[in-house]
Amino acid sequence: MSQPIPTATLPDGRQVPALGLGTWHMGEIRSDAAAEVRALQAGVDCGMTLIDTAEMYASGGAEKITGEAIRGRRDAVFLVSKVLPSNASRNGTVAACEASLRRLGTEHIDLYLLHWPGRHPLRDTVEAFEQLRASGKIGAWGVSNFDSLAMRQVSALPGGQNCAANQVLYNLSTRGIEFELQPWLAERSIPVMAYSPLDEGRLLRHPGLGRMARGLALSPAQLALAFLLHRDNVIAIPKSSSPERVRENRASADISLTGEQLTELDQMFPPPRSRQPLAMI
Ligand code: NDP
């Protein structure tokens, strides 16, 4: 019997699953589309009802795959998409969101993120986000690849306190955010969305992680995801195009790591001891 997936809490109090589904590289190869749709549907079926996508992925192709996967079950899903920085002007953000809505086949995106800081003034992007929120086209907005300084800048803007998430590179081998950014976000009840939680698959070939996982009768992916699920208010969004691997990832929510096991992971992947520049892909 599987345990319910733990939840993370958005600043407005809404609960979302702390384990969701990534979509980067989906929609790139036409002949893979049906399998990708099936993988996302398998995830939703087993409770991974948060789906992360972006207008950038396959130039809209990943949003189309996502739209196909959630057709007829939109209300069961918490949908996250992102605007490209080059589109993130006052009017460009609204137009980009409307194009995403069309590709996704829905009338609203639950959480809409600025993919990374860009050349358009942040103030204009935030104004557009607030307009989209007021019109109901998005439920909440947030940012991605924002370091502590950029977070301070966004939160000082009019409406900036409504920032609901920061999606950053975070996994066992990239723990820099734990020193400063994560505590800053935690103080404001802003969840961290951990992208590339398996380090794009590289972590799965780590010999020490492999050994420890075997000893616990887990897969390395499950152990890497269980670590993130033990962190407060972190949402991990592993991507897999295989229903079997999606279900394997889902089982990481059933794992309860002991203090000793967490210490062993800390020894293998030491937490940061000083401030570090934000890592990103
Ligand atoms: P992940 O860390 O999720 O790793 C994905 C890779 O791991 C794929 O090659 C996948 O292969 C493989 N994989 C997944 N599960 C398993 C498993 N159980 N066993 C073996 N292999 C597995 O990398 P991503 O970079 O995709 O990150 C996740 C999501 O985060 C993205 O899809 C995207 O939505 C988001 N993202 C956001 C960024 C941002 O700038 N905001 C940047 C990067 C990612 P397969 O599909 O064949 O199973």
Side-chain angles (χ1 to χ4, degrees), residues 21-24 52-53 57 82 115 144-145 167 194-201 204 219 221 237-242 245 248-249 281:
L21 299 160
T23 63
W24 193 19
D52 178 77
T53 189
Y57 302 158
K82 314 183 196 81
H115 210 143
S144 176
N145 295 300
Q167 185 176 121
Y195 77 66
S196 305
L198 307 174
D199 201 16
E200 299 182 274
L204 311 178
S219 73
I237 45 169
K239 174 264 172 189
S240 178
S241 299
S242 136
R245 287 192 287 279
E248 176 189 325
N249 294 344
I281 286 186

PDB file of all heavy atoms in Angstrom, residues 21-24 52-53 57 82 115 144-145 167 194-201 204 219 221 237-242 245 248-249 281, ligand 1:
ATOM      1  N   LEU A  21       5.973  15.947 -11.945  1.00  0.00           N
ATOM      2  CA  LEU A  21       6.470  15.384 -13.203  1.00  0.00           C
ATOM      3  C   LEU A  21       7.104  16.479 -14.056  1.00  0.00           C
ATOM      4  O   LEU A  21       6.468  17.510 -14.315  1.00  0.00           O
ATOM      5  CB  LEU A  21       5.290  14.789 -13.978  1.00  0.00           C
ATOM      6  CG  LEU A  21       4.532  13.641 -13.292  1.00  0.00           C
ATOM      7  CD1 LEU A  21       3.143  13.480 -13.908  1.00  0.00           C
ATOM      8  CD2 LEU A  21       5.328  12.341 -13.392  1.00  0.00           C
ATOM      9  N   GLY A  22       8.335  16.256 -14.510  1.00  0.00           N
ATOM     10  CA  GLY A  22       8.979  17.185 -15.440  1.00  0.00           C
ATOM     11  C   GLY A  22       8.653  16.821 -16.878  1.00  0.00           C
ATOM     12  O   GLY A  22       8.214  15.689 -17.162  1.00  0.00           O
ATOM     13  N   THR A  23       8.876  17.748 -17.792  1.00  0.00           N
ATOM     14  CA  THR A  23       8.540  17.485 -19.210  1.00  0.00           C
ATOM     15  C   THR A  23       9.622  17.947 -20.190  1.00  0.00           C
ATOM     16  O   THR A  23       9.394  17.945 -21.397  1.00  0.00           O
ATOM     17  CB  THR A  23       7.217  18.198 -19.605  1.00  0.00           C
ATOM     18  OG1 THR A  23       7.414  19.620 -19.476  1.00  0.00           O
ATOM     19  CG2 THR A  23       6.042  17.753 -18.764  1.00  0.00           C
ATOM     20  N   TRP A  24      10.780  18.371 -19.664  1.00  0.00           N
ATOM     21  CA  TRP A  24      11.827  18.844 -20.577  1.00  0.00           C
ATOM     22  C   TRP A  24      12.213  17.701 -21.515  1.00  0.00           C
ATOM     23  O   TRP A  24      12.395  16.565 -21.030  1.00  0.00           O
ATOM     24  CB  TRP A  24      13.042  19.333 -19.776  1.00  0.00           C
ATOM     25  CG  TRP A  24      14.033  20.108 -20.592  1.00  0.00           C
ATOM     26  CD1 TRP A  24      13.824  20.714 -21.798  1.00  0.00           C
ATOM     27  CD2 TRP A  24      15.402  20.365 -20.242  1.00  0.00           C
ATOM     28  NE1 TRP A  24      14.971  21.344 -22.218  1.00  0.00           N
ATOM     29  CE2 TRP A  24      15.961  21.139 -21.287  1.00  0.00           C
ATOM     30  CE3 TRP A  24      16.200  20.026 -19.148  1.00  0.00           C
ATOM     31  CZ2 TRP A  24      17.283  21.567 -21.277  1.00  0.00           C
ATOM     32  CZ3 TRP A  24      17.521  20.458 -19.130  1.00  0.00           C
ATOM     33  CH2 TRP A  24      18.059  21.224 -20.178  1.00  0.00           C
ATOM     34  N   ASP A  52       5.174  20.012 -14.547  1.00  0.00           N
ATOM     35  CA  ASP A  52       5.980  21.192 -14.849  1.00  0.00           C
ATOM     36  C   ASP A  52       6.343  21.203 -16.334  1.00  0.00           C
ATOM     37  O   ASP A  52       6.926  20.251 -16.844  1.00  0.00           O
ATOM     38  CB  ASP A  52       7.280  21.152 -14.036  1.00  0.00           C
ATOM     39  CG  ASP A  52       8.175  22.345 -14.375  1.00  0.00           C
ATOM     40  OD1 ASP A  52       7.873  23.443 -13.878  1.00  0.00           O
ATOM     41  OD2 ASP A  52       9.123  22.182 -15.161  1.00  0.00           O
ATOM     42  N   THR A  53       5.995  22.302 -17.021  1.00  0.00           N
ATOM     43  CA  THR A  53       6.376  22.427 -18.414  1.00  0.00           C
ATOM     44  C   THR A  53       6.820  23.862 -18.689  1.00  0.00           C
ATOM     45  O   THR A  53       7.031  24.640 -17.751  1.00  0.00           O
ATOM     46  CB  THR A  53       5.219  21.924 -19.332  1.00  0.00           C
ATOM     47  OG1 THR A  53       5.688  21.869 -20.670  1.00  0.00           O
ATOM     48  CG2 THR A  53       3.975  22.782 -19.238  1.00  0.00           C
ATOM     49  N   TYR A  57      10.257  24.374 -23.898  1.00  0.00           N
ATOM     50  CA  TYR A  57      10.535  22.955 -24.157  1.00  0.00           C
ATOM     51  C   TYR A  57       9.947  22.540 -25.510  1.00  0.00           C
ATOM     52  O   TYR A  57       8.736  22.619 -25.726  1.00  0.00           O
ATOM     53  CB  TYR A  57       9.973  22.066 -23.038  1.00  0.00           C
ATOM     54  CG  TYR A  57      10.511  22.407 -21.657  1.00  0.00           C
ATOM     55  CD1 TYR A  57       9.820  22.056 -20.511  1.00  0.00           C
ATOM     56  CD2 TYR A  57      11.717  23.092 -21.491  1.00  0.00           C
ATOM     57  CE1 TYR A  57      10.303  22.371 -19.243  1.00  0.00           C
ATOM     58  CE2 TYR A  57      12.215  23.409 -20.238  1.00  0.00           C
ATOM     59  CZ  TYR A  57      11.503  23.057 -19.122  1.00  0.00           C
ATOM     60  OH  TYR A  57      11.972  23.374 -17.876  1.00  0.00           O
ATOM     61  N   LYS A  82       6.074  28.120 -17.917  1.00  0.00           N
ATOM     62  CA  LYS A  82       7.044  29.219 -17.767  1.00  0.00           C
ATOM     63  C   LYS A  82       7.106  30.072 -19.010  1.00  0.00           C
ATOM     64  O   LYS A  82       7.007  29.550 -20.127  1.00  0.00           O
ATOM     65  CB  LYS A  82       8.456  28.663 -17.507  1.00  0.00           C
ATOM     66  CG  LYS A  82       8.507  27.576 -16.466  1.00  0.00           C
ATOM     67  CD  LYS A  82       9.924  27.110 -16.195  1.00  0.00           C
ATOM     68  CE  LYS A  82       9.907  25.790 -15.452  1.00  0.00           C
ATOM     69  NZ  LYS A  82       9.701  24.612 -16.318  1.00  0.00           N
ATOM     70  N   HIS A 115      11.161  32.036 -16.502  1.00  0.00           N
ATOM     71  CA  HIS A 115      12.096  30.896 -16.601  1.00  0.00           C
ATOM     72  C   HIS A 115      13.486  31.217 -16.036  1.00  0.00           C
ATOM     73  O   HIS A 115      14.113  30.379 -15.420  1.00  0.00           O
ATOM     74  CB  HIS A 115      12.190  30.446 -18.064  1.00  0.00           C
ATOM     75  CG  HIS A 115      12.468  28.989 -18.228  1.00  0.00           C
ATOM     76  ND1 HIS A 115      11.925  28.229 -19.225  1.00  0.00           N
ATOM     77  CD2 HIS A 115      13.237  28.136 -17.525  1.00  0.00           C
ATOM     78  CE1 HIS A 115      12.361  26.978 -19.121  1.00  0.00           C
ATOM     79  NE2 HIS A 115      13.165  26.908 -18.099  1.00  0.00           N
ATOM     80  N   SER A 144      12.130  31.382 -11.570  1.00  0.00           N
ATOM     81  CA  SER A 144      13.011  30.215 -11.689  1.00  0.00           C
ATOM     82  C   SER A 144      14.430  30.712 -11.907  1.00  0.00           C
ATOM     83  O   SER A 144      14.632  31.745 -12.559  1.00  0.00           O
ATOM     84  CB  SER A 144      12.544  29.358 -12.877  1.00  0.00           C
ATOM     85  OG  SER A 144      13.418  28.273 -13.078  1.00  0.00           O
ATOM     86  N   ASN A 145      15.389  29.992 -11.350  1.00  0.00           N
ATOM     87  CA  ASN A 145      16.806  30.368 -11.474  1.00  0.00           C
ATOM     88  C   ASN A 145      17.086  31.754 -10.887  1.00  0.00           C
ATOM     89  O   ASN A 145      17.913  32.506 -11.414  1.00  0.00           O
ATOM     90  CB  ASN A 145      17.250  30.306 -12.948  1.00  0.00           C
ATOM     91  CG  ASN A 145      17.201  28.897 -13.498  1.00  0.00           C
ATOM     92  OD1 ASN A 145      17.881  28.011 -12.968  1.00  0.00           O
ATOM     93  ND2 ASN A 145      16.395  28.661 -14.519  1.00  0.00           N
ATOM     94  N   GLN A 167      11.923  28.038  -8.755  1.00  0.00           N
ATOM     95  CA  GLN A 167      12.343  26.730  -9.273  1.00  0.00           C
ATOM     96  C   GLN A 167      13.832  26.793  -9.598  1.00  0.00           C
ATOM     97  O   GLN A 167      14.250  27.604 -10.418  1.00  0.00           O
ATOM     98  CB  GLN A 167      11.532  26.385 -10.528  1.00  0.00           C
ATOM     99  CG  GLN A 167      11.846  24.994 -11.034  1.00  0.00           C
ATOM    100  CD  GLN A 167      10.990  24.563 -12.214  1.00  0.00           C
ATOM    101  OE1 GLN A 167      11.502  24.253 -13.275  1.00  0.00           O
ATOM    102  NE2 GLN A 167       9.680  24.525 -12.031  1.00  0.00           N
ATOM    103  N   ALA A 194      12.518  21.818  -7.006  1.00  0.00           N
ATOM    104  CA  ALA A 194      13.838  21.255  -7.316  1.00  0.00           C
ATOM    105  C   ALA A 194      13.830  20.685  -8.725  1.00  0.00           C
ATOM    106  O   ALA A 194      13.240  19.628  -8.971  1.00  0.00           O
ATOM    107  CB  ALA A 194      14.185  20.172  -6.311  1.00  0.00           C
ATOM    108  N   TYR A 195      14.485  21.414  -9.659  1.00  0.00           N
ATOM    109  CA  TYR A 195      14.564  20.850 -11.014  1.00  0.00           C
ATOM    110  C   TYR A 195      15.806  19.986 -11.155  1.00  0.00           C
ATOM    111  O   TYR A 195      16.733  20.082 -10.354  1.00  0.00           O
ATOM    112  CB  TYR A 195      14.417  21.925 -12.088  1.00  0.00           C
ATOM    113  CG  TYR A 195      15.586  22.852 -12.414  1.00  0.00           C
ATOM    114  CD1 TYR A 195      16.768  22.394 -12.989  1.00  0.00           C
ATOM    115  CD2 TYR A 195      15.449  24.230 -12.238  1.00  0.00           C
ATOM    116  CE1 TYR A 195      17.797  23.261 -13.345  1.00  0.00           C
ATOM    117  CE2 TYR A 195      16.470  25.114 -12.584  1.00  0.00           C
ATOM    118  CZ  TYR A 195      17.651  24.610 -13.139  1.00  0.00           C
ATOM    119  OH  TYR A 195      18.649  25.473 -13.487  1.00  0.00           O
ATOM    120  N   SER A 196      15.771  19.122 -12.180  1.00  0.00           N
ATOM    121  CA  SER A 196      16.831  18.099 -12.388  1.00  0.00           C
ATOM    122  C   SER A 196      17.151  17.387 -11.065  1.00  0.00           C
ATOM    123  O   SER A 196      18.310  17.311 -10.649  1.00  0.00           O
ATOM    124  CB  SER A 196      18.088  18.729 -12.999  1.00  0.00           C
ATOM    125  OG  SER A 196      17.772  19.416 -14.184  1.00  0.00           O
ATOM    126  N   PRO A 197      16.135  16.844 -10.389  1.00  0.00           N
ATOM    127  CA  PRO A 197      16.360  16.219  -9.078  1.00  0.00           C
ATOM    128  C   PRO A 197      17.249  14.981  -9.163  1.00  0.00           C
ATOM    129  O   PRO A 197      17.788  14.536  -8.145  1.00  0.00           O
ATOM    130  CB  PRO A 197      14.946  15.856  -8.608  1.00  0.00           C
ATOM    131  CG  PRO A 197      14.146  15.747  -9.867  1.00  0.00           C
ATOM    132  CD  PRO A 197      14.713  16.753 -10.810  1.00  0.00           C
ATOM    133  N   LEU A 198      17.398  14.433 -10.389  1.00  0.00           N
ATOM    134  CA  LEU A 198      18.305  13.282 -10.576  1.00  0.00           C
ATOM    135  C   LEU A 198      19.573  13.745 -11.291  1.00  0.00           C
ATOM    136  O   LEU A 198      20.315  12.928 -11.828  1.00  0.00           O
ATOM    137  CB  LEU A 198      17.599  12.190 -11.396  1.00  0.00           C
ATOM    138  CG  LEU A 198      16.225  11.748 -10.852  1.00  0.00           C
ATOM    139  CD1 LEU A 198      15.543  10.777 -11.810  1.00  0.00           C
ATOM    140  CD2 LEU A 198      16.387  11.105  -9.468  1.00  0.00           C
ATOM    141  N   ASP A 199      19.807  15.050 -11.286  1.00  0.00           N
ATOM    142  CA  ASP A 199      20.945  15.634 -12.007  1.00  0.00           C
ATOM    143  C   ASP A 199      20.927  15.165 -13.463  1.00  0.00           C
ATOM    144  O   ASP A 199      21.957  14.731 -13.999  1.00  0.00           O
ATOM    145  CB  ASP A 199      22.273  15.281 -11.310  1.00  0.00           C
ATOM    146  CG  ASP A 199      23.390  16.249 -11.708  1.00  0.00           C
ATOM    147  OD1 ASP A 199      23.071  17.328 -12.245  1.00  0.00           O
ATOM    148  OD2 ASP A 199      24.561  15.909 -11.500  1.00  0.00           O
ATOM    149  N   GLU A 200      19.758  15.230 -14.080  1.00  0.00           N
ATOM    150  CA  GLU A 200      19.550  14.792 -15.477  1.00  0.00           C
ATOM    151  C   GLU A 200      19.973  13.335 -15.685  1.00  0.00           C
ATOM    152  O   GLU A 200      20.394  12.963 -16.774  1.00  0.00           O
ATOM    153  CB  GLU A 200      20.316  15.692 -16.451  1.00  0.00           C
ATOM    154  CG  GLU A 200      19.874  17.154 -16.414  1.00  0.00           C
ATOM    155  CD  GLU A 200      20.638  17.988 -17.421  1.00  0.00           C
ATOM    156  OE1 GLU A 200      21.736  18.464 -17.061  1.00  0.00           O
ATOM    157  OE2 GLU A 200      20.169  18.159 -18.545  1.00  0.00           O
ATOM    158  N   GLY A 201      19.885  12.541 -14.654  1.00  0.00           N
ATOM    159  CA  GLY A 201      20.219  11.120 -14.759  1.00  0.00           C
ATOM    160  C   GLY A 201      21.633  10.796 -14.286  1.00  0.00           C
ATOM    161  O   GLY A 201      21.951   9.640 -14.023  1.00  0.00           O
ATOM    162  N   LEU A 204      22.331   8.799 -11.046  1.00  0.00           N
ATOM    163  CA  LEU A 204      22.015   7.368 -11.032  1.00  0.00           C
ATOM    164  C   LEU A 204      23.253   6.523 -11.277  1.00  0.00           C
ATOM    165  O   LEU A 204      23.259   5.327 -11.055  1.00  0.00           O
ATOM    166  CB  LEU A 204      20.926   7.071 -12.073  1.00  0.00           C
ATOM    167  CG  LEU A 204      19.733   8.033 -11.971  1.00  0.00           C
ATOM    168  CD1 LEU A 204      18.709   7.754 -13.038  1.00  0.00           C
ATOM    169  CD2 LEU A 204      19.100   7.960 -10.590  1.00  0.00           C
ATOM    170  N   SER A 219      16.141   1.846  -5.594  1.00  0.00           N
ATOM    171  CA  SER A 219      16.920   2.243  -6.767  1.00  0.00           C
ATOM    172  C   SER A 219      17.608   3.577  -6.423  1.00  0.00           C
ATOM    173  O   SER A 219      17.142   4.315  -5.538  1.00  0.00           O
ATOM    174  CB  SER A 219      16.016   2.399  -7.987  1.00  0.00           C
ATOM    175  OG  SER A 219      15.240   3.575  -7.865  1.00  0.00           O
ATOM    176  N   ALA A 221      17.523   6.263  -8.044  1.00  0.00           N
ATOM    177  CA  ALA A 221      16.565   7.357  -8.279  1.00  0.00           C
ATOM    178  C   ALA A 221      15.668   7.538  -7.055  1.00  0.00           C
ATOM    179  O   ALA A 221      15.412   8.669  -6.604  1.00  0.00           O
ATOM    180  CB  ALA A 221      15.722   7.061  -9.522  1.00  0.00           C
ATOM    181  N   ILE A 237      10.605  17.486  -9.213  1.00  0.00           N
ATOM    182  CA  ILE A 237       9.870  17.267 -10.472  1.00  0.00           C
ATOM    183  C   ILE A 237      10.696  16.405 -11.443  1.00  0.00           C
ATOM    184  O   ILE A 237      11.091  16.865 -12.515  1.00  0.00           O
ATOM    185  CB  ILE A 237       9.464  18.608 -11.124  1.00  0.00           C
ATOM    186  CG1 ILE A 237      10.645  19.625 -11.121  1.00  0.00           C
ATOM    187  CG2 ILE A 237       8.259  19.211 -10.424  1.00  0.00           C
ATOM    188  CD1 ILE A 237      10.378  20.870 -11.989  1.00  0.00           C
ATOM    189  N   PRO A 238      10.947  15.130 -11.075  1.00  0.00           N
ATOM    190  CA  PRO A 238      11.713  14.273 -11.987  1.00  0.00           C
ATOM    191  C   PRO A 238      10.977  14.081 -13.306  1.00  0.00           C
ATOM    192  O   PRO A 238       9.743  14.025 -13.331  1.00  0.00           O
ATOM    193  CB  PRO A 238      11.791  12.939 -11.226  1.00  0.00           C
ATOM    194  CG  PRO A 238      10.598  12.938 -10.329  1.00  0.00           C
ATOM    195  CD  PRO A 238      10.401  14.378  -9.925  1.00  0.00           C
ATOM    196  N   LYS A 239      11.757  13.983 -14.374  1.00  0.00           N
ATOM    197  CA  LYS A 239      11.172  13.704 -15.692  1.00  0.00           C
ATOM    198  C   LYS A 239      11.463  12.262 -16.070  1.00  0.00           C
ATOM    199  O   LYS A 239      12.602  11.804 -15.964  1.00  0.00           O
ATOM    200  CB  LYS A 239      11.766  14.657 -16.728  1.00  0.00           C
ATOM    201  CG  LYS A 239      11.337  14.379 -18.168  1.00  0.00           C
ATOM    202  CD  LYS A 239      12.353  13.527 -18.917  1.00  0.00           C
ATOM    203  CE  LYS A 239      11.879  13.088 -20.272  1.00  0.00           C
ATOM    204  NZ  LYS A 239      12.797  12.094 -20.879  1.00  0.00           N
ATOM    205  N   SER A 240      10.435  11.565 -16.515  1.00  0.00           N
ATOM    206  CA  SER A 240      10.681  10.278 -17.156  1.00  0.00           C
ATOM    207  C   SER A 240       9.633  10.056 -18.234  1.00  0.00           C
ATOM    208  O   SER A 240       8.454  10.367 -18.043  1.00  0.00           O
ATOM    209  CB  SER A 240      10.640   9.118 -16.165  1.00  0.00           C
ATOM    210  OG  SER A 240      10.843   7.921 -16.897  1.00  0.00           O
ATOM    211  N   SER A 241      10.075   9.496 -19.341  1.00  0.00           N
ATOM    212  CA  SER A 241       9.150   9.189 -20.435  1.00  0.00           C
ATOM    213  C   SER A 241       8.709   7.737 -20.380  1.00  0.00           C
ATOM    214  O   SER A 241       8.126   7.243 -21.346  1.00  0.00           O
ATOM    215  CB  SER A 241       9.821   9.473 -21.786  1.00  0.00           C
ATOM    216  OG  SER A 241      10.157  10.839 -21.866  1.00  0.00           O
ATOM    217  N   SER A 242       9.007   7.071 -19.271  1.00  0.00           N
ATOM    218  CA  SER A 242       8.616   5.669 -19.149  1.00  0.00           C
ATOM    219  C   SER A 242       7.652   5.502 -17.969  1.00  0.00           C
ATOM    220  O   SER A 242       7.984   5.868 -16.844  1.00  0.00           O
ATOM    221  CB  SER A 242       9.882   4.819 -18.933  1.00  0.00           C
ATOM    222  OG  SER A 242       9.687   3.869 -17.919  1.00  0.00           O
ATOM    223  N   ARG A 245       9.314   3.768 -15.002  1.00  0.00           N
ATOM    224  CA  ARG A 245      10.225   4.593 -14.191  1.00  0.00           C
ATOM    225  C   ARG A 245       9.452   5.671 -13.425  1.00  0.00           C
ATOM    226  O   ARG A 245       9.825   6.042 -12.316  1.00  0.00           O
ATOM    227  CB  ARG A 245      11.326   5.198 -15.067  1.00  0.00           C
ATOM    228  CG  ARG A 245      12.352   4.151 -15.484  1.00  0.00           C
ATOM    229  CD  ARG A 245      13.586   4.760 -16.101  1.00  0.00           C
ATOM    230  NE  ARG A 245      13.386   5.279 -17.439  1.00  0.00           N
ATOM    231  CZ  ARG A 245      13.391   4.547 -18.559  1.00  0.00           C
ATOM    232  NH1 ARG A 245      13.569   3.236 -18.488  1.00  0.00           N
ATOM    233  NH2 ARG A 245      13.214   5.119 -19.729  1.00  0.00           N
ATOM    234  N   GLU A 248       8.287   3.916 -10.462  1.00  0.00           N
ATOM    235  CA  GLU A 248       9.452   3.707  -9.569  1.00  0.00           C
ATOM    236  C   GLU A 248       9.722   5.003  -8.794  1.00  0.00           C
ATOM    237  O   GLU A 248       9.953   4.981  -7.580  1.00  0.00           O
ATOM    238  CB  GLU A 248      10.657   3.329 -10.437  1.00  0.00           C
ATOM    239  CG  GLU A 248      11.951   3.167  -9.678  1.00  0.00           C
ATOM    240  CD  GLU A 248      13.144   3.007 -10.640  1.00  0.00           C
ATOM    241  OE1 GLU A 248      13.005   2.405 -11.718  1.00  0.00           O
ATOM    242  OE2 GLU A 248      14.229   3.521 -10.287  1.00  0.00           O
ATOM    243  N   ASN A 249       9.673   6.131  -9.484  1.00  0.00           N
ATOM    244  CA  ASN A 249       9.926   7.422  -8.817  1.00  0.00           C
ATOM    245  C   ASN A 249       8.842   7.710  -7.784  1.00  0.00           C
ATOM    246  O   ASN A 249       9.120   8.224  -6.697  1.00  0.00           O
ATOM    247  CB  ASN A 249      10.018   8.541  -9.857  1.00  0.00           C
ATOM    248  CG  ASN A 249      11.226   8.381 -10.770  1.00  0.00           C
ATOM    249  OD1 ASN A 249      12.142   7.619 -10.454  1.00  0.00           O
ATOM    250  ND2 ASN A 249      11.233   9.083 -11.890  1.00  0.00           N
ATOM    251  N   ILE A 281      21.345  25.147 -15.021  1.00  0.00           N
ATOM    252  CA  ILE A 281      21.639  24.414 -16.252  1.00  0.00           C
ATOM    253  C   ILE A 281      21.595  25.386 -17.413  1.00  0.00           C
ATOM    254  O   ILE A 281      20.689  26.181 -17.499  1.00  0.00           O
ATOM    255  CB  ILE A 281      20.597  23.283 -16.455  1.00  0.00           C
ATOM    256  CG1 ILE A 281      20.921  22.185 -15.466  1.00  0.00           C
ATOM    257  CG2 ILE A 281      20.613  22.765 -17.880  1.00  0.00           C
ATOM    258  CD1 ILE A 281      20.089  20.952 -15.615  1.00  0.00           C
TER     259      ILE A 281
HETATM  260  P1  NDP B   1      15.971  14.805 -14.106  1.00  0.00           P
HETATM  261  O1  NDP B   1      16.953  15.028 -13.021  1.00  0.00           O
HETATM  262  O2  NDP B   1      14.548  14.707 -13.783  1.00  0.00           O
HETATM  263  O3  NDP B   1      16.461  13.517 -14.910  1.00  0.00           O
HETATM  264  C1  NDP B   1      15.800  13.092 -16.075  1.00  0.00           C
HETATM  265  C2  NDP B   1      16.602  11.931 -16.654  1.00  0.00           C
HETATM  266  O4  NDP B   1      16.590  10.836 -15.741  1.00  0.00           O
HETATM  267  C3  NDP B   1      15.984  11.408 -17.943  1.00  0.00           C
HETATM  268  O5  NDP B   1      17.053  11.026 -18.784  1.00  0.00           O
HETATM  269  C4  NDP B   1      15.189  10.185 -17.510  1.00  0.00           C
HETATM  270  O6  NDP B   1      15.151   9.247 -18.558  1.00  0.00           O
HETATM  271  C5  NDP B   1      16.003   9.685 -16.347  1.00  0.00           C
HETATM  272  N1  NDP B   1      15.196   9.013 -15.310  1.00  0.00           N
HETATM  273  C6  NDP B   1      14.118   9.480 -14.657  1.00  0.00           C
HETATM  274  N2  NDP B   1      13.675   8.611 -13.731  1.00  0.00           N
HETATM  275  C7  NDP B   1      14.512   7.553 -13.803  1.00  0.00           C
HETATM  276  C8  NDP B   1      14.610   6.309 -13.102  1.00  0.00           C
HETATM  277  N3  NDP B   1      13.747   5.997 -12.134  1.00  0.00           N
HETATM  278  N4  NDP B   1      15.618   5.457 -13.434  1.00  0.00           N
HETATM  279  C9  NDP B   1      16.502   5.751 -14.409  1.00  0.00           C
HETATM  280  N5  NDP B   1      16.464   6.907 -15.111  1.00  0.00           N
HETATM  281  C10 NDP B   1      15.483   7.808 -14.800  1.00  0.00           C
HETATM  282  O7  NDP B   1      16.265  15.939 -15.202  1.00  0.00           O
HETATM  283  P2  NDP B   1      15.470  17.130 -15.877  1.00  0.00           P
HETATM  284  O8  NDP B   1      16.518  18.076 -16.324  1.00  0.00           O
HETATM  285  O9  NDP B   1      14.500  16.622 -16.855  1.00  0.00           O
HETATM  286  O10 NDP B   1      14.685  17.862 -14.682  1.00  0.00           O
HETATM  287  C11 NDP B   1      13.349  17.566 -14.329  1.00  0.00           C
HETATM  288  C12 NDP B   1      12.407  18.665 -14.781  1.00  0.00           C
HETATM  289  O11 NDP B   1      12.758  19.923 -14.204  1.00  0.00           O
HETATM  290  C13 NDP B   1      12.469  18.957 -16.282  1.00  0.00           C
HETATM  291  O12 NDP B   1      11.889  17.919 -17.050  1.00  0.00           O
HETATM  292  C14 NDP B   1      11.787  20.291 -16.336  1.00  0.00           C
HETATM  293  O13 NDP B   1      10.393  20.142 -16.218  1.00  0.00           O
HETATM  294  C15 NDP B   1      12.403  20.968 -15.101  1.00  0.00           C
HETATM  295  N6  NDP B   1      13.604  21.765 -15.416  1.00  0.00           N
HETATM  296  C16 NDP B   1      13.563  23.136 -15.205  1.00  0.00           C
HETATM  297  C17 NDP B   1      14.647  23.939 -15.480  1.00  0.00           C
HETATM  298  C18 NDP B   1      14.541  25.406 -15.245  1.00  0.00           C
HETATM  299  O14 NDP B   1      15.431  26.147 -15.693  1.00  0.00           O
HETATM  300  N7  NDP B   1      13.521  25.888 -14.578  1.00  0.00           N
HETATM  301  C19 NDP B   1      15.912  23.377 -15.991  1.00  0.00           C
HETATM  302  C20 NDP B   1      15.895  21.935 -16.101  1.00  0.00           C
HETATM  303  C21 NDP B   1      14.783  21.180 -15.805  1.00  0.00           C
HETATM  304  P3  NDP B   1      13.766   8.615 -19.119  1.00  0.00           P
HETATM  305  O15 NDP B   1      12.896   9.739 -19.522  1.00  0.00           O
HETATM  306  O16 NDP B   1      14.222   7.766 -20.258  1.00  0.00           O
HETATM  307  O17 NDP B   1      13.196   7.795 -17.979  1.00  0.00           O
END
